[in-house]
Short mmCIF file of all heavy atoms in Angstrom, two decimals:
data_model
loop_
_atom_site.label_atom_id
_atom_site.label_comp_id
_atom_site.label_asym_id
_atom_site.label_seq_id
_atom_site.Cartn_x
_atom_site.Cartn_y
_atom_site.Cartn_z
N PHE E 57 -5.19 -13.78 -18.18
CA PHE E 57 -4.43 -12.53 -18.20
C PHE E 57 -3.29 -12.58 -17.18
O PHE E 57 -2.17 -12.13 -17.45
CB PHE E 57 -5.34 -11.34 -17.88
CG PHE E 57 -6.03 -10.78 -19.09
CD1 PHE E 57 -7.41 -10.84 -19.21
CD2 PHE E 57 -5.32 -10.17 -20.11
CE1 PHE E 57 -8.07 -10.32 -20.32
CE2 PHE E 57 -5.95 -9.65 -21.23
CZ PHE E 57 -7.33 -9.72 -21.33
N ASN E 58 -3.60 -13.11 -16.00
CA ASN E 58 -2.60 -13.17 -14.93
C ASN E 58 -1.41 -14.04 -15.35
O ASN E 58 -0.25 -13.67 -15.14
CB ASN E 58 -3.24 -13.72 -13.66
CG ASN E 58 -2.31 -13.62 -12.46
OD1 ASN E 58 -1.81 -12.55 -12.14
ND2 ASN E 58 -2.09 -14.73 -11.78
N THR E 59 -1.71 -15.19 -15.95
CA THR E 59 -0.64 -16.08 -16.43
C THR E 59 0.23 -15.37 -17.47
O THR E 59 1.46 -15.47 -17.46
CB THR E 59 -1.24 -17.36 -17.02
OG1 THR E 59 -2.02 -18.03 -16.03
CG2 THR E 59 -0.15 -18.29 -17.52
N PHE E 60 -0.44 -14.65 -18.37
CA PHE E 60 0.30 -13.91 -19.40
C PHE E 60 1.20 -12.84 -18.78
O PHE E 60 2.37 -12.69 -19.17
CB PHE E 60 -0.69 -13.26 -20.37
CG PHE E 60 -0.05 -12.35 -21.39
CD1 PHE E 60 0.60 -12.87 -22.49
CD2 PHE E 60 -0.07 -10.97 -21.21
CE1 PHE E 60 1.21 -12.04 -23.42
CE2 PHE E 60 0.53 -10.12 -22.14
CZ PHE E 60 1.18 -10.67 -23.24
N ILE E 61 0.66 -12.09 -17.80
CA ILE E 61 1.43 -11.01 -17.18
C ILE E 61 2.61 -11.57 -16.39
O ILE E 61 3.74 -11.07 -16.49
CB ILE E 61 0.52 -10.16 -16.27
CG1 ILE E 61 -0.43 -9.32 -17.14
CG2 ILE E 61 1.35 -9.24 -15.37
CD1 ILE E 61 -1.47 -8.55 -16.35
N LEU E 62 2.36 -12.63 -15.61
CA LEU E 62 3.46 -13.21 -14.84
C LEU E 62 4.53 -13.80 -15.75
O LEU E 62 5.72 -13.79 -15.41
CB LEU E 62 2.92 -14.29 -13.89
CG LEU E 62 2.03 -13.80 -12.74
CD1 LEU E 62 1.57 -14.97 -11.88
CD2 LEU E 62 2.75 -12.78 -11.87
N GLY E 63 4.10 -14.30 -16.90
CA GLY E 63 5.07 -14.89 -17.83
C GLY E 63 5.85 -13.86 -18.62
O GLY E 63 6.97 -14.13 -19.06
N ASN E 64 5.26 -12.67 -18.81
CA ASN E 64 5.89 -11.68 -19.68
C ASN E 64 6.28 -10.37 -19.00
O ASN E 64 7.08 -9.62 -19.55
CB ASN E 64 4.95 -11.36 -20.85
CG ASN E 64 4.71 -12.55 -21.76
OD1 ASN E 64 5.49 -12.82 -22.65
ND2 ASN E 64 3.62 -13.29 -21.51
N PHE E 65 5.69 -10.09 -17.83
CA PHE E 65 5.95 -8.80 -17.19
C PHE E 65 6.49 -8.92 -15.76
O PHE E 65 6.59 -7.92 -15.06
CB PHE E 65 4.67 -7.96 -17.17
CG PHE E 65 4.24 -7.48 -18.52
CD1 PHE E 65 3.31 -8.20 -19.25
CD2 PHE E 65 4.79 -6.33 -19.08
CE1 PHE E 65 2.92 -7.78 -20.53
CE2 PHE E 65 4.40 -5.90 -20.33
CZ PHE E 65 3.46 -6.63 -21.06
N ALA E 66 6.83 -10.14 -15.34
CA ALA E 66 7.40 -10.31 -14.00
C ALA E 66 8.67 -9.49 -13.86
O ALA E 66 8.88 -8.79 -12.85
CB ALA E 66 7.67 -11.79 -13.72
N ALA E 67 9.53 -9.55 -14.87
CA ALA E 67 10.78 -8.79 -14.83
C ALA E 67 10.49 -7.29 -14.79
O ALA E 67 11.20 -6.53 -14.11
CB ALA E 67 11.64 -9.13 -16.04
N TRP E 68 9.45 -6.85 -15.52
CA TRP E 68 9.08 -5.44 -15.51
C TRP E 68 8.76 -4.98 -14.09
O TRP E 68 9.25 -3.94 -13.64
CB TRP E 68 7.89 -5.21 -16.44
CG TRP E 68 7.20 -3.88 -16.27
CD1 TRP E 68 6.06 -3.64 -15.56
CD2 TRP E 68 7.62 -2.61 -16.79
NE1 TRP E 68 5.72 -2.31 -15.60
CE2 TRP E 68 6.67 -1.65 -16.35
CE3 TRP E 68 8.70 -2.19 -17.57
CZ2 TRP E 68 6.77 -0.30 -16.68
CZ3 TRP E 68 8.79 -0.83 -17.89
CH2 TRP E 68 7.84 0.08 -17.46
N TYR E 69 7.92 -5.73 -13.39
CA TYR E 69 7.56 -5.36 -12.02
C TYR E 69 8.80 -5.31 -11.11
O TYR E 69 8.97 -4.39 -10.31
CB TYR E 69 6.54 -6.36 -11.44
CG TYR E 69 5.10 -6.05 -11.79
CD1 TYR E 69 4.32 -6.95 -12.49
CD2 TYR E 69 4.52 -4.85 -11.40
CE1 TYR E 69 2.99 -6.68 -12.80
CE2 TYR E 69 3.20 -4.57 -11.70
CZ TYR E 69 2.44 -5.48 -12.41
OH TYR E 69 1.13 -5.18 -12.71
N ILE E 70 9.66 -6.32 -11.22
CA ILE E 70 10.86 -6.37 -10.38
C ILE E 70 11.75 -5.15 -10.63
O ILE E 70 12.18 -4.45 -9.69
CB ILE E 70 11.66 -7.66 -10.64
CG1 ILE E 70 10.85 -8.90 -10.28
CG2 ILE E 70 12.99 -7.63 -9.88
CD1 ILE E 70 10.52 -9.06 -8.83
N TRP E 71 12.01 -4.86 -11.89
CA TRP E 71 12.95 -3.79 -12.23
C TRP E 71 12.34 -2.40 -12.02
O TRP E 71 13.05 -1.45 -11.71
CB TRP E 71 13.45 -3.97 -13.66
CG TRP E 71 14.29 -5.20 -13.82
CD1 TRP E 71 15.05 -5.82 -12.86
CD2 TRP E 71 14.45 -6.00 -15.00
NE1 TRP E 71 15.67 -6.94 -13.35
CE2 TRP E 71 15.33 -7.07 -14.67
CE3 TRP E 71 13.96 -5.92 -16.30
CZ2 TRP E 71 15.71 -8.04 -15.59
CZ3 TRP E 71 14.34 -6.88 -17.23
CH2 TRP E 71 15.20 -7.92 -16.88
N VAL E 72 11.04 -2.28 -12.21
CA VAL E 72 10.38 -0.99 -11.99
C VAL E 72 10.48 -0.59 -10.52
O VAL E 72 10.78 0.57 -10.19
CB VAL E 72 8.91 -1.06 -12.44
CG1 VAL E 72 8.07 0.02 -11.77
CG2 VAL E 72 8.83 -0.89 -13.96
N VAL E 73 10.23 -1.54 -9.62
CA VAL E 73 10.32 -1.23 -8.19
C VAL E 73 11.77 -0.93 -7.80
O VAL E 73 12.04 -0.05 -6.97
CB VAL E 73 9.73 -2.36 -7.33
CG1 VAL E 73 9.99 -2.13 -5.85
CG2 VAL E 73 8.22 -2.47 -7.58
N ALA E 74 12.71 -1.62 -8.41
CA ALA E 74 14.12 -1.29 -8.19
C ALA E 74 14.41 0.14 -8.62
O ALA E 74 15.15 0.89 -7.94
CB ALA E 74 15.02 -2.27 -8.95
N LEU E 75 13.81 0.55 -9.74
CA LEU E 75 13.96 1.94 -10.21
C LEU E 75 13.43 2.92 -9.17
O LEU E 75 14.06 3.95 -8.91
CB LEU E 75 13.21 2.12 -11.53
CG LEU E 75 13.07 3.56 -12.04
CD1 LEU E 75 14.43 4.10 -12.48
CD2 LEU E 75 12.06 3.64 -13.19
N PHE E 76 12.29 2.60 -8.56
CA PHE E 76 11.71 3.52 -7.57
C PHE E 76 12.64 3.70 -6.37
O PHE E 76 12.76 4.80 -5.83
CB PHE E 76 10.35 3.00 -7.10
CG PHE E 76 9.32 2.90 -8.19
CD1 PHE E 76 8.25 2.01 -8.08
CD2 PHE E 76 9.41 3.67 -9.34
CE1 PHE E 76 7.29 1.92 -9.08
CE2 PHE E 76 8.47 3.58 -10.36
CZ PHE E 76 7.41 2.69 -10.22
N ILE E 77 13.30 2.62 -5.95
CA ILE E 77 14.26 2.72 -4.84
C ILE E 77 15.43 3.62 -5.24
O ILE E 77 15.82 4.53 -4.49
CB ILE E 77 14.79 1.33 -4.43
CG1 ILE E 77 13.67 0.45 -3.92
CG2 ILE E 77 15.88 1.48 -3.35
CD1 ILE E 77 14.11 -0.98 -3.61
N VAL E 78 15.98 3.38 -6.42
CA VAL E 78 17.13 4.15 -6.89
C VAL E 78 16.78 5.62 -7.03
O VAL E 78 17.53 6.51 -6.59
CB VAL E 78 17.65 3.59 -8.23
CG1 VAL E 78 18.70 4.51 -8.83
CG2 VAL E 78 18.21 2.19 -8.04
N VAL E 79 15.61 5.92 -7.61
CA VAL E 79 15.20 7.31 -7.81
C VAL E 79 14.97 7.99 -6.46
O VAL E 79 15.42 9.13 -6.24
CB VAL E 79 13.93 7.39 -8.68
CG1 VAL E 79 13.37 8.81 -8.69
CG2 VAL E 79 14.25 6.94 -10.10
N SER E 80 14.26 7.33 -5.54
CA SER E 80 13.98 7.93 -4.24
C SER E 80 15.27 8.26 -3.49
O SER E 80 15.46 9.39 -3.01
CB SER E 80 13.11 6.98 -3.39
OG SER E 80 11.86 6.78 -3.99
N LEU E 81 16.15 7.28 -3.37
CA LEU E 81 17.41 7.51 -2.65
C LEU E 81 18.30 8.49 -3.41
O LEU E 81 18.99 9.32 -2.81
CB LEU E 81 18.13 6.18 -2.44
CG LEU E 81 17.41 5.16 -1.54
CD1 LEU E 81 18.21 3.87 -1.43
CD2 LEU E 81 17.16 5.74 -0.15
N GLY E 82 18.27 8.41 -4.75
CA GLY E 82 19.07 9.34 -5.56
C GLY E 82 18.64 10.79 -5.36
O GLY E 82 19.48 11.69 -5.27
N LEU E 83 17.33 11.02 -5.27
CA LEU E 83 16.84 12.38 -5.06
C LEU E 83 17.24 12.90 -3.68
O LEU E 83 17.52 14.09 -3.50
CB LEU E 83 15.31 12.42 -5.20
CG LEU E 83 14.77 12.23 -6.62
CD1 LEU E 83 13.25 12.17 -6.61
CD2 LEU E 83 15.24 13.35 -7.55
N ALA E 84 17.27 12.00 -2.69
CA ALA E 84 17.69 12.42 -1.34
C ALA E 84 19.16 12.80 -1.31
O ALA E 84 19.57 13.74 -0.61
CB ALA E 84 17.41 11.30 -0.35
N ILE E 85 19.98 12.09 -2.11
CA ILE E 85 21.42 12.35 -2.13
C ILE E 85 21.77 13.54 -3.01
O ILE E 85 22.67 14.32 -2.69
CB ILE E 85 22.16 11.08 -2.62
CG1 ILE E 85 21.95 9.93 -1.64
CG2 ILE E 85 23.65 11.35 -2.82
CD1 ILE E 85 22.43 8.59 -2.17
N TRP E 86 21.06 13.72 -4.12
CA TRP E 86 21.31 14.80 -5.08
C TRP E 86 21.11 16.15 -4.38
O TRP E 86 20.02 16.48 -3.94
CB TRP E 86 20.33 14.64 -6.23
CG TRP E 86 20.47 15.62 -7.35
CD1 TRP E 86 21.50 16.47 -7.61
CD2 TRP E 86 19.51 15.83 -8.40
NE1 TRP E 86 21.27 17.20 -8.74
CE2 TRP E 86 20.05 16.83 -9.25
CE3 TRP E 86 18.28 15.27 -8.71
CZ2 TRP E 86 19.37 17.28 -10.37
CZ3 TRP E 86 17.60 15.71 -9.83
CH2 TRP E 86 18.14 16.71 -10.65
N PRO E 87 22.18 16.98 -4.26
CA PRO E 87 22.08 18.23 -3.49
C PRO E 87 20.95 19.15 -3.96
O PRO E 87 20.21 19.70 -3.14
CB PRO E 87 23.45 18.88 -3.70
CG PRO E 87 24.37 17.74 -3.97
CD PRO E 87 23.55 16.75 -4.75
N THR E 88 20.82 19.33 -5.27
CA THR E 88 19.77 20.23 -5.78
C THR E 88 18.39 19.76 -5.36
O THR E 88 17.54 20.56 -4.96
CB THR E 88 19.83 20.29 -7.32
OG1 THR E 88 21.12 20.79 -7.71
CG2 THR E 88 18.75 21.21 -7.87
N ALA E 89 18.17 18.45 -5.43
CA ALA E 89 16.86 17.90 -5.09
C ALA E 89 16.67 17.80 -3.58
O ALA E 89 15.62 18.16 -3.04
CB ALA E 89 16.68 16.54 -5.74
N GLY E 90 17.68 17.29 -2.89
CA GLY E 90 17.54 16.98 -1.47
C GLY E 90 17.12 18.17 -0.62
O GLY E 90 16.33 18.05 0.32
N ARG E 91 17.63 19.37 -0.96
CA ARG E 91 17.32 20.55 -0.15
C ARG E 91 16.03 21.23 -0.58
O ARG E 91 15.57 22.18 0.06
CB ARG E 91 18.47 21.55 -0.25
CG ARG E 91 18.75 22.02 -1.66
CD ARG E 91 19.88 23.04 -1.72
NE ARG E 91 20.28 23.33 -3.08
CZ ARG E 91 19.61 24.10 -3.93
NH1 ARG E 91 18.47 24.67 -3.54
NH2 ARG E 91 20.06 24.32 -5.16
N MET E 92 15.42 20.77 -1.67
CA MET E 92 14.22 21.43 -2.20
C MET E 92 13.03 21.19 -1.30
O MET E 92 12.79 20.09 -0.82
CB MET E 92 13.95 20.92 -3.61
CG MET E 92 13.14 21.85 -4.48
SD MET E 92 13.20 21.33 -6.23
CE MET E 92 14.79 22.01 -6.72
N ASN E 93 12.26 22.26 -1.08
CA ASN E 93 11.12 22.20 -0.18
C ASN E 93 9.88 21.68 -0.90
O ASN E 93 9.59 22.09 -2.02
CB ASN E 93 10.85 23.61 0.38
CG ASN E 93 9.93 23.59 1.58
OD1 ASN E 93 8.91 22.91 1.60
ND2 ASN E 93 10.28 24.38 2.59
N LEU E 94 9.16 20.77 -0.26
CA LEU E 94 7.87 20.31 -0.80
C LEU E 94 6.78 21.29 -0.39
O LEU E 94 5.85 20.97 0.35
CB LEU E 94 7.56 18.90 -0.31
CG LEU E 94 8.49 17.80 -0.83
CD1 LEU E 94 8.19 16.47 -0.17
CD2 LEU E 94 8.40 17.68 -2.35
N GLY E 95 6.96 22.50 -0.84
CA GLY E 95 6.09 23.61 -0.51
C GLY E 95 6.74 24.85 -1.07
O GLY E 95 7.61 24.79 -1.93
N LEU E 96 6.34 26.00 -0.56
CA LEU E 96 6.97 27.24 -1.00
C LEU E 96 8.33 27.40 -0.35
O LEU E 96 8.60 26.83 0.71
CB LEU E 96 6.06 28.43 -0.64
CG LEU E 96 4.62 28.34 -1.16
CD1 LEU E 96 3.82 29.56 -0.73
CD2 LEU E 96 4.60 28.19 -2.68
N ASP E 97 9.20 28.15 -1.00
CA ASP E 97 10.54 28.36 -0.44
C ASP E 97 10.44 28.96 0.95
O ASP E 97 9.76 29.97 1.15
CB ASP E 97 11.36 29.28 -1.35
CG ASP E 97 11.72 28.60 -2.67
OD1 ASP E 97 11.74 27.36 -2.71
OD2 ASP E 97 11.98 29.31 -3.66
N GLY E 98 11.12 28.33 1.91
CA GLY E 98 11.12 28.83 3.28
C GLY E 98 9.93 28.38 4.10
O GLY E 98 9.86 28.66 5.30
N GLU E 99 9.00 27.67 3.49
CA GLU E 99 7.82 27.21 4.23
C GLU E 99 8.21 26.14 5.24
O GLU E 99 9.00 25.25 4.97
CB GLU E 99 6.78 26.65 3.25
CG GLU E 99 5.46 26.29 3.90
CD GLU E 99 4.40 25.92 2.87
OE1 GLU E 99 4.70 25.95 1.67
OE2 GLU E 99 3.27 25.61 3.30
N LYS E 100 7.65 26.25 6.44
CA LYS E 100 7.95 25.31 7.51
C LYS E 100 6.97 24.13 7.47
O LYS E 100 5.85 24.27 7.00
CB LYS E 100 7.86 26.01 8.87
CG LYS E 100 8.84 27.17 9.04
CD LYS E 100 10.28 26.69 8.94
CE LYS E 100 11.27 27.84 9.12
NZ LYS E 100 12.67 27.39 8.95
N PRO E 101 7.40 22.98 8.00
CA PRO E 101 6.51 21.83 8.02
C PRO E 101 5.22 22.12 8.79
O PRO E 101 5.24 22.83 9.81
CB PRO E 101 7.33 20.75 8.73
CG PRO E 101 8.75 21.15 8.52
CD PRO E 101 8.74 22.66 8.53
N GLU E 102 4.15 21.56 8.30
CA GLU E 102 2.85 21.75 8.95
C GLU E 102 2.78 21.01 10.27
O GLU E 102 2.12 21.43 11.21
CB GLU E 102 1.74 21.26 8.01
CG GLU E 102 0.34 21.52 8.51
CD GLU E 102 -0.70 21.13 7.49
OE1 GLU E 102 -0.33 20.76 6.35
OE2 GLU E 102 -1.90 21.17 7.82
N PHE E 103 3.49 19.87 10.37
CA PHE E 103 3.48 19.05 11.58
C PHE E 103 4.88 18.97 12.15
O PHE E 103 5.87 18.92 11.42
CB PHE E 103 2.98 17.63 11.26
CG PHE E 103 1.59 17.60 10.66
CD1 PHE E 103 1.43 17.46 9.29
CD2 PHE E 103 0.47 17.73 11.45
CE1 PHE E 103 0.16 17.43 8.72
CE2 PHE E 103 -0.80 17.71 10.90
CZ PHE E 103 -0.96 17.56 9.53
N ASP E 104 4.99 18.94 13.49
CA ASP E 104 6.31 18.80 14.11
C ASP E 104 6.81 17.37 13.89
O ASP E 104 6.08 16.48 13.44
CB ASP E 104 6.26 19.15 15.59
CG ASP E 104 5.31 18.26 16.40
OD1 ASP E 104 5.24 17.04 16.14
OD2 ASP E 104 4.61 18.79 17.28
N ASN E 105 8.08 17.15 14.22
CA ASN E 105 8.70 15.86 13.92
C ASN E 105 7.98 14.70 14.61
O ASN E 105 7.78 13.64 14.01
CB ASN E 105 10.17 15.87 14.34
CG ASN E 105 11.03 16.70 13.40
OD1 ASN E 105 10.69 16.89 12.23
ND2 ASN E 105 12.14 17.21 13.90
N PHE E 106 7.60 14.89 15.87
CA PHE E 106 6.95 13.81 16.61
C PHE E 106 5.63 13.42 15.95
O PHE E 106 5.34 12.24 15.74
CB PHE E 106 6.72 14.22 18.06
CG PHE E 106 6.02 13.16 18.87
CD1 PHE E 106 6.73 12.08 19.38
CD2 PHE E 106 4.65 13.24 19.12
CE1 PHE E 106 6.09 11.09 20.12
CE2 PHE E 106 4.00 12.26 19.84
CZ PHE E 106 4.72 11.18 20.35
N SER E 107 4.82 14.42 15.63
CA SER E 107 3.52 14.14 15.00
C SER E 107 3.71 13.50 13.63
O SER E 107 2.99 12.57 13.26
CB SER E 107 2.71 15.44 14.85
OG SER E 107 2.44 16.01 16.10
N TRP E 108 4.70 14.01 12.90
CA TRP E 108 4.96 13.49 11.55
C TRP E 108 5.37 12.02 11.61
O TRP E 108 4.83 11.18 10.89
CB TRP E 108 6.06 14.32 10.89
CG TRP E 108 6.29 14.04 9.44
CD1 TRP E 108 5.37 14.03 8.44
CD2 TRP E 108 7.55 13.72 8.83
NE1 TRP E 108 5.97 13.74 7.23
CE2 TRP E 108 7.31 13.55 7.43
CE3 TRP E 108 8.85 13.60 9.30
CZ2 TRP E 108 8.32 13.25 6.54
CZ3 TRP E 108 9.87 13.31 8.41
CH2 TRP E 108 9.60 13.14 7.04
#
Side-chain angles (χ1 to χ4, degrees):
F57 273 115
N58 189 54
T59 301
F60 174 78
I61 288 174
L62 292 180
N64 295 276
F65 291 95
W68 166 261
Y69 275 121
I70 297 295
W71 293 333
V72 158
V73 172
L75 171 69
F76 298 156
I77 297 175
V78 171
V79 170
S80 297
L81 296 179
L83 290 175
I85 296 170
W86 183 13
T88 300
R91 60 179 171 76
M92 203 167 280
N93 195 316
L94 293 174
L96 305 179
D97 291 336
E99 187 172 0
K100 299 298 181 183
E102 185 175 354
F103 301 100
D104 60 39
N105 287 335
F106 179 80
S107 298
W108 189 53

